[in-house]
């Protein structure tokens, strides 16, 4: 392992409430030996050359995670926590929100913002409750080392990311020549009358079956935090008083792409396409299917 690889940090977004799932998905044992998705991701990251993880959590998860991870981390691999707190917002907009009325975190962009004091270099960013496969972490590590100034993502074909039990939210991507051109958050995507449909900008529209989507499998460097701060500020001004509003990482990436149109200092968002299936649980009914798929994939490994 070279010196650059040793500096890579994995940020794991693990503060979600799992409201549709009905519990803390990040603690659900879904692997062939009852491992959580979080444990499987840490194992994959270590294989790819990551030596540190930062888990963004709610405070009440710390004790359960301590028990879960005790004696399970590879030697030399460090894992730290940071808390996603509702009042940790850009100072200029704290007066726009009524925290007493807020019951859920502010979304994935805010979750990564919570880690800004603990991550100062290249980072991969994933969800705690998703399975990405070993190759996704290898692609992230290779991409971050190859081009330290660019951002990147590992994209998944949308048909590999759906649930049979209800609609899902995905960041749909436009990619040209291996570069991300556009990413937009679509809601409630599901099969309907032999085609995929989802809601974008308040309207239900069709989606091509081979579309690439973001599954929160990103590579960034520390300059993302300035972009998040600007996006969070705009978001809080526009939507901060809506109790269920969320600011998503694809919106932050889209803001970076828009900056490229007006700046001489352009930064690419490089795209690698996943080589393995993604697995995740959105609804309780998804759990048994995911368990079976992970058993088939990993039991003999």
């Amino acid at each position: 392992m070279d010196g650059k690889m040793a500096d890579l940090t994995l940020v794991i977004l693990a503060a979600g409430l799992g409201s549709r799932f009905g519990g803390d998905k990040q603690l659900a044992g879904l692997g062939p030996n009852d491992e959580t998705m979080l444990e499987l991701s840490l194992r994959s990251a270590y294989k790819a050359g990551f030596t540190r993880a930062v888990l963004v959590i709610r405070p009440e998860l710390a004790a359960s995670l301590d028990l879960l991870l005790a004696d399970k981390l590879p030697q030399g691999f460090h894992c730290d926590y940071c808390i996603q707190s509702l009042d940790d917002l850009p100072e200029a907009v704290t007066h726009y929100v009524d925290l007493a009325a807020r019951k859920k975190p502010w979304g994935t962009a805010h979750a990564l913002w919570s880690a800004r004091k603990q991550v100062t270099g290249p980072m991969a960013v994933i969800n705690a409750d998703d399975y990405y496969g070993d190759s996704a972490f290898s692609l992230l590590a290779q991409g971050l080392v190859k081009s330290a100034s660019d951002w990147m993502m590992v994209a998944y074909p949308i048909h590999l990311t759906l649930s049979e039990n209800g609609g899902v939210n995905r960041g749909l991507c436009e990619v040209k020549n291996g570069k991300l051109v556009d990413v937009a958050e679509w809601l409630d995507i599901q099969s309907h009358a032999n085609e995929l449909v989802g809601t974008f900008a308040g309207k239900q529209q069709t989606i091509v079956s081979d579309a690439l989507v973001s599954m929160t499998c990103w590579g960034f460097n520390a300059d993302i935090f300035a972009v998040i701060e600007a996006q969070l500020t705009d978001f809080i001004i526009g939507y901060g008083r809506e109790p269920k509003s969320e600011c998503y990482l694809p919106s932050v990436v889209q803001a970076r792409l828009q900056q490229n149109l007006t700046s001489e200092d352009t930064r690419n968002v490089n795209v690698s396409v996943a080589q393995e299936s993604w697995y995740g649980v959105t609804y309780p009914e998804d759990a048994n299917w995911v368990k079976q798929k992970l058993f088939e994939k990993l039991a003999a490994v």
Side-chain angles (χ1 to χ4, degrees):
M1 184 188 308
D2 62 31
K4 290 183 179 179
M5 189 72 81
D7 293 333
L8 295 180
T9 297
L10 175 65
V11 180
I12 304 179
L13 309 183
L17 295 171
S19 54
R20 286 180 290 182
F21 182 68
D24 292 318
K25 291 188 289 184
Q26 55 272 66
L27 301 178
L30 298 170
N33 298 301
D34 208 36
E35 303 98 330
T36 63
M37 300 291 210
L38 172 61
E39 292 173 84
L40 296 175
S41 289
L42 289 171
R43 189 182 303 169
S44 294
Y46 179 74
K47 290 179 185 177
F50 291 81
T51 59
R52 178 174 180 250
V54 174
L55 274 59
V56 181
I57 65 170
R58 308 190 311 273
E60 59 268 28
L61 291 177
S64 296
L65 288 170
D66 283 342
L67 290 173
L68 177 70
L69 299 177
D71 302 322
K72 292 184 180 179
L73 295 176
Q75 186 175 2
F77 191 96
H78 302 284
C79 189
D80 301 305
Y81 302 153
C82 70
I83 303 299
Q84 184 178 6
S85 175
L86 294 181
D87 61 358
D88 183 14
L89 296 170
E91 185 175 353
V93 293
T94 53
H95 63 284
Y96 276 85
V97 300
D98 179 7
L99 294 176
R102 186 76 189 186
K103 303 300 182 185
K104 62 183 300 184
W106 293 102
T108 52
H110 181 255
L112 182 54
W113 163 261
S114 304
R116 67 194 181 280
K117 296 179 181 178
Q118 295 197 38
V119 187
T120 58
M123 72 195 84
V125 180
I126 64 167
N127 283 330
D129 48 22
D130 293 343
Y131 176 82
Y132 297 95
D134 287 349
S135 61
F137 291 89
S138 295
L139 290 170
L140 286 166
Q142 293 163 11
L144 288 169
V145 170
K146 181 179 179 180
S147 184
S149 63
D150 288 338
W151 294 0
M152 69 166 297
M153 68 172 294
V154 176
Y156 287 76
I158 192 170
H159 64 87
L160 297 178
T161 75
L162 302 175
S163 170
E164 296 180 354
N165 299 300
V168 295
N169 301 342
R170 300 287 182 257
L172 263 68
C173 304
E174 180 184 351
V175 180
K176 291 184 179 179
N177 300 319
K179 312 296 182 186
L180 186 65
V181 175
D182 182 85
V183 57
E185 189 75 10
W186 285 58
L187 307 178
D188 196 30
I189 300 169
Q190 54 189 302
S191 295
H192 179 71
N194 296 320
E195 63 182 7
L196 287 179
V197 296
T199 300
F200 177 68
K203 294 178 58 179
Q204 192 176 73
Q205 305 177 50
T206 59
I207 303 169
V208 295
S209 62
D210 61 349
L212 294 177
V213 296
S214 160
M215 299 306 298
T216 313
C217 193
W218 296 101
F220 299 120
N221 52 53
D223 68 2
I224 191 174
F225 295 119
V227 186
I228 293 178
E229 182 173 14
Q231 283 301 108
L232 273 178
T233 298
D234 291 344
F235 166 80
I236 293 297
I237 291 173
Y239 306 100
R241 294 177 182 174
E242 298 179 10
K244 295 184 178 181
S245 58
E246 295 185 69
C247 187
Y248 300 110
L249 271 175
S251 298
V252 176
V253 175
Q254 185 65 27
R256 167 70 169 264
L257 295 174
Q258 291 299 316
Q259 288 177 2
N260 283 346
L261 299 177
T262 58
S263 172
E264 295 182 359
D265 181 24
T266 59
R267 304 291 179 88
N268 293 319
V269 180
N270 301 316
V271 178
S272 298
V273 178
Q275 301 169 11
E276 301 176 67
S277 294
W278 169 95
Y279 299 115
V281 289
T282 303
Y283 302 94
E285 297 83 359
D286 296 330
N288 287 336
W289 181 83
V290 169
K291 282 185 178 182
Q292 180 61 34
K293 289 296 183 181
L294 290 178
F295 181 84
E296 293 170 1
K297 183 177 181 63
L298 301 174
V301 175

